[in-house]
Amino acid sequence: MALCLKQVFNKDKTFRPRKKFEPGTQRFELYKKAQASLKSGLDLKAVVQLPPGESINDWIAVHVVDFFNRINLIYGTMSEYCTEKSCPIMSGGLKYEYRWQDDSKYKKPTKLSAPQYMCMLMDWIEMLINNEDIFPTRIGVPFPRQFQQVCTKILTRLFRVFVHVYIHHFDSIINMGAEAHVNTCYKHFYYFIREFSLVDHRELEPLKEMTERICH
């Protein structure tokens, strides 16, 4: 029997502290609206659609931060099974290998273990979403022109977490009774990135068969 979300995902194991929205801000109100829709049992395809009159960049920002928190929590729970020994390469099966590159320490695509890759990824995303020049939180401050491009990169890399967890640690998900919760998070994420064409379809190939099965 599947356990409740609080039992399945121990918040002490969150990979990084949760990024929160400041109460009273428009972003916080949008976040509450999105969460209310999720809890209402509405079709996830409808939940991800931009509400009338809302800014698409604000809507994307809210979801990028929320997905970071959720996927961070999922991986944090899985991390004891994802070790240097069990996952010496960040991959999605034999066919897909993900190398790390950033603008500082790793200037060229570099082979890392899955735990190292995840650590670099979460640090990198946290740095971006806390950067006021990229994710402005003050009223009247516009988003940068490259905002959606940055979000595409963030979401593409977060998708790779799903790839690794589903392909290499699915038995652990099942043993924890977390399959339904992870599937729902994945479906929400998938419908969102497809709704706004935020991730290249080639990046989705590793989970194509599963996606066709659970995302109708």
Side-chain angles (χ1 to χ4, degrees):
M1 182 182 293
L3 303 172
C4 76
L5 193 58
K6 287 181 181 176
Q7 289 173 297
V8 171
F9 296 132
N10 179 357
K11 291 188 179 180
D12 291 339
K13 292 184 178 178
T14 302
F15 217 50
R16 295 287 181 277
R18 288 173 62 85
K19 167 75 174 176
K20 297 181 180 179
F21 301 99
E22 288 297 320
T25 63
Q26 182 185 14
R27 203 78 51 80
F28 180 72
E29 294 306 314
L30 263 184
Y31 171 72
K32 285 200 302 183
K33 186 181 291 186
Q35 293 303 299
S37 295
L38 266 180
K39 291 174 183 175
S40 70
L42 285 174
D43 175 38
L44 286 171
K45 285 183 182 177
V47 165
V48 300
Q49 293 172 5
L50 180 67
E54 298 293 355
S55 153
I56 186 170
N57 282 342
D58 274 318
W59 190 239
I60 290 173
V62 163
H63 281 81
V64 166
V65 172
D66 190 39
F67 287 135
F68 167 68
N69 285 333
R70 290 170 185 272
I71 294 169
N72 178 29
L73 183 56
I74 289 172
Y75 182 72
T77 305
M78 298 285 105
S79 60
E80 64 185 284
Y81 308 106
C82 184
T83 65
E84 300 284 334
K85 186 175 180 181
S86 68
C87 305
I89 298 171
M90 175 56 183
S91 61
L94 298 175
K95 192 175 178 182
Y96 301 94
E97 179 182 318
Y98 302 118
R99 298 190 175 192
W100 182 257
Q101 183 177 13
D102 52 37
D103 296 326
S104 52
K105 186 176 180 181
Y106 298 96
K107 297 187 184 298
K108 294 181 180 180
T110 305
K111 184 183 293 189
L112 297 177
S113 68
Q116 286 177 308
Y117 185 100
M118 299 296 185
C119 191
M120 297 302 299
L121 174 59
M122 299 305 175
D123 280 348
W124 175 76
I125 295 175
E126 191 172 31
M127 175 193 70
L128 290 173
I129 63 179
N130 286 320
N131 185 335
E132 282 285 332
D133 292 332
I134 301 172
F135 280 75
T137 57
R138 297 186 299 278
I139 294 173
V141 177
F143 287 90
R145 277 183 295 179
Q146 78 276 23
F147 175 70
Q148 289 190 26
Q149 187 179 342
V150 171
C151 290
T152 285
K153 196 163 187 179
I154 291 173
L155 294 167
T156 297
R157 288 178 165 182
L158 281 175
F159 183 82
R160 295 171 182 177
V161 180
F162 277 120
V163 172
H164 184 76
V165 166
Y166 269 118
I167 292 176
H168 295 276
H169 302 294
F170 195 62
D171 287 348
S172 299
I173 293 173
I174 292 174
N175 290 339
M176 293 170 64
E179 182 181 1
H181 297 300
V182 176
N183 284 351
T184 298
C185 184
Y186 175 76
K187 288 162 73 173
H188 185 203
F189 181 92
Y190 176 79
Y191 289 138
F192 183 80
I193 61 176
R194 298 304 289 161
E195 174 73 15
F196 300 103
S197 302
L198 289 166
V199 175
D200 190 291
H201 69 91
R202 290 170 295 184
E203 285 281 347
L204 308 179
E205 282 294 314
L207 296 181
K208 183 178 179 182
E209 288 185 15
M210 185 201 76
T211 302
E212 289 174 349
R213 193 170 66 249
I214 70 172
C215 300
H216 306 295

